Amino acid sequence: MPKVSEKYREARRAEIARAALRCLERKGVRDTSIADIVEESGLSIGAIYSHFSNKAELARYVAGRFLFPRVDALEEQGSLGVVITPRHALEGMLTALTTTGINPSLILQFWAEAMVDAELRQSMVRTVDQLRTSLGIAVMPWARARTASEDQAARLACESARSISALAQGYIANTAVFGPHPYSDYLAGADTVLAS
Amino acid sequence: MPKVSEKYREARRAEIARAALRCLERKGVRDTSIADIVEESGLSIGAIYSHFSNKAELARYVAGRFLFPRVDALEEQGSLGVVITPRHALEGMLTALTTTGINPSLILQFWAEAMVDAELRQSMVRTVDQLRTSLGIAVMPWARARTASEDQAARLACESARSISALAQGYIANTAVFGPHPYSDYLAGADTVLAS
DNA sequence: ACCTGAACACCGTTCAAGT
DNA sequence: ACCTGAACACCGTTCAAGT
């Protein structure tokens, strides 16, 4: 099939998704209706349904396109032999979060959506598995320096990746529910609590 | 007004809320309808609307009654002069979470609901403020031992309370999205990540 | 006072019909 | 192939009428 048409389709999907994202940021996941997206995009109901089979698929597309963090940078740093500690990686994620301006409230709402949409949840798990792999590579030099065998190093790297994501999730959820908070304070607080 | 009727009203509200909670645990917040709660409770639409002004108020009642953690125990321990470290307090919260059998997925869904229901969010903030006060008291002996003045100790106690809640949130969100996970692993992982 | 359920406005989705 | 929007089933909420 012609590549031009393929490109056009994808552009249209992205256009709809951007309109949807604007609505989501303004009104939240629960309160944005298809009618809202129709109005925001200037298209018709049918136009949207000819590019997405339903609201859930559109939501998944928005999440995959605009909400899941880009993970490439970390892997590069690791493969160049720069020694990255898990803490550096966590700090990198938290700065990326603030600089990209992704809405913590929206992320939290999509996590909740994943509790009730198995496919969204799967794609989240897949994305974080990629992240985990990247982190695993980036953090391997550090892990090797702290363990006896290559096997133990790999396991340590993998385990620390889950902890990194859990810690990042804590920051996002806390920020969303109780208001913004510099991540340096969050890390310093976590340090003293855990060390006590 | 007669106390009997007052008691009856409250019992009815609790009965409806329990039916609602069963639905919420089975189908999630997004997918439980008033019709579901009508069926589960065996009552009528009107009966429910004569005890709750709308779905959001019912949700808030369920959250306040069944989902927000009880906080009394911690305060007692603190006032008895037992030295509780913030880490002990965090561990206490996480064990309470697992022993009470509260559904992490449901907590996450209610956090998201709070992003779009200002009143629910307020009552969450209020609950956590209480928790923060209790924690502040419980943790004061520890804080005094680590600071020069009573003022500094109070501030340290307060700050560590926010960190405790953020760390607990991270465990809940991670567990909900990526599957169960012993909290001891979570804490151990957080230790090594932060210390790296 | 508490309850009933038909009625209403709005939601997501479909589909025959247009280009 | 992409789009249109009336039509449909279902949702939360209301309210006149019952006890």
Side-chain angles (χ1 to χ4, degrees):
Chain A
M1 280 299 111
K3 213 175 186 177
V4 205
S5 142
E6 198 52 48
K7 224 171 185 173
Y8 168 77
R9 259 198 87 77
E10 187 47 35
R12 207 92 231 248
R13 281 167 72 90
E15 182 193 351
I16 293 166
R18 270 193 301 271
L21 181 62
R22 284 193 295 274
C23 293
L24 291 169
E25 288 188 316
R26 201 185 320 126
K27 309 183 67 176
V29 173
R30 194 195 67 181
D31 293 342
T32 88
S33 64
I34 296 289
D36 291 327
I37 299 168
V38 164
E39 196 182 359
E40 180 72 31
S41 66
L43 303 173
S44 68
I45 301 174
I48 289 169
Y49 276 92
S50 70
H51 290 277
F52 297 97
S53 62
N54 51 42
K55 207 188 171 185
E57 200 214 320
L58 173 53
R60 268 177 256 130
Y61 183 88
V62 170
R65 196 74 201 268
F66 301 117
L67 252 38
F68 295 161
R70 297 283 133 238
V71 301
D72 321 337
L74 283 164
E75 186 165 5
E76 278 176 38
Q77 285 185 285
S79 59
L80 286 169
V82 181
V83 179
I84 299 268
T85 67
R87 192 187 173 106
H88 288 328
L90 174 59
E91 283 169 359
M93 279 184 64
L94 296 181
T95 27
L97 193 81
T98 58
T99 57
T100 55
I102 298 173
N103 196 332
S105 165
L106 217 44
I107 298 182
L108 183 55
Q109 289 173 65
F110 272 89
W111 290 342
E113 204 65 13
M115 299 297 96
V116 104
D117 177 343
E119 213 161 323
L120 178 61
R121 188 188 195 141
Q122 266 174 40
S123 89
M124 265 179 196
V125 170
R126 230 178 299 123
T127 304
V128 172
D129 277 344
Q130 276 175 248
L131 177 68
R132 208 169 289 181
T133 308
S134 301
L135 280 177
I137 294 166
V139 143
M140 270 306 281
W142 166 85
R144 267 192 281 264
R146 295 185 87 254
T147 51
S149 76
E150 193 70 5
D151 241 44
Q152 283 175 1
R155 198 162 346 107
L156 178 63
C158 175
E159 277 166 18
S160 64
R162 174 155 192 171
S163 301
I164 288 168
S165 66
L167 256 2
Q169 284 189 101
Y171 177 69
I172 290 165
N174 196 258
T175 272
V177 178
F178 302 109
H181 195 204
Y183 75 80
S184 52
D185 289 4
Y186 168 65
L187 291 176
D191 282 336
T192 53
V193 167
L194 290 173
S196 71
Chain B
M1 281 301 109
K3 214 175 186 179
V4 204
S5 141
E6 198 52 47
K7 225 172 185 172
Y8 169 78
R9 259 198 88 74
E10 188 45 36
R12 208 89 230 250
R13 280 167 73 89
E15 181 193 352
I16 294 167
R18 269 192 301 271
L21 181 61
R22 284 193 295 273
C23 293
L24 292 169
E25 287 186 316
R26 201 185 320 125
K27 310 184 70 176
V29 173
R30 195 195 64 182
D31 292 341
T32 88
S33 64
I34 297 289
D36 291 327
I37 299 168
V38 164
E39 197 182 358
E40 180 71 31
S41 65
L43 303 173
S44 70
I45 301 174
I48 288 168
Y49 275 93
S50 69
H51 289 277
F52 296 97
S53 62
N54 51 42
K55 207 188 172 186
E57 200 213 322
L58 172 53
R60 268 177 257 130
Y61 183 89
V62 169
R65 195 77 203 268
F66 301 118
L67 252 37
F68 295 161
R70 299 279 136 239
V71 301
D72 321 336
L74 284 163
E75 187 166 3
E76 278 176 39
Q77 285 186 284
S79 59
L80 287 170
V82 181
V83 178
I84 299 267
T85 67
R87 192 187 175 106
H88 288 326
L90 174 59
E91 283 168 1
M93 280 186 63
L94 297 180
T95 28
L97 193 81
T98 57
T99 56
T100 55
I102 297 174
N103 196 333
S105 165
L106 216 44
I107 297 183
L108 183 56
Q109 290 173 64
F110 272 89
W111 290 342
E113 204 64 13
M115 300 296 96
V116 104
D117 177 342
E119 213 161 322
L120 178 61
R121 189 190 195 138
Q122 265 174 41
S123 88
M124 265 180 197
V125 170
R126 230 177 299 126
T127 304
V128 172
D129 276 346
Q130 275 176 249
L131 177 68
R132 208 169 290 180
T133 308
S134 301
L135 280 177
I137 294 166
V139 143
M140 270 305 281
W142 165 84
R144 267 192 280 264
R146 294 184 89 257
T147 51
S149 75
E150 193 71 3
D151 240 43
Q152 282 175 1
R155 199 163 344 109
L156 178 62
C158 174
E159 276 166 17
S160 63
R162 175 155 192 171
S163 302
I164 289 168
S165 67
L167 255 3
Q169 283 189 102
Y171 176 68
I172 290 166
N174 195 257
T175 271
V177 179
F178 302 109
H181 194 204
Y183 76 80
S184 51
D185 288 5
Y186 168 65
L187 290 176
D191 282 335
T192 54
V193 167
L194 290 173
S196 72

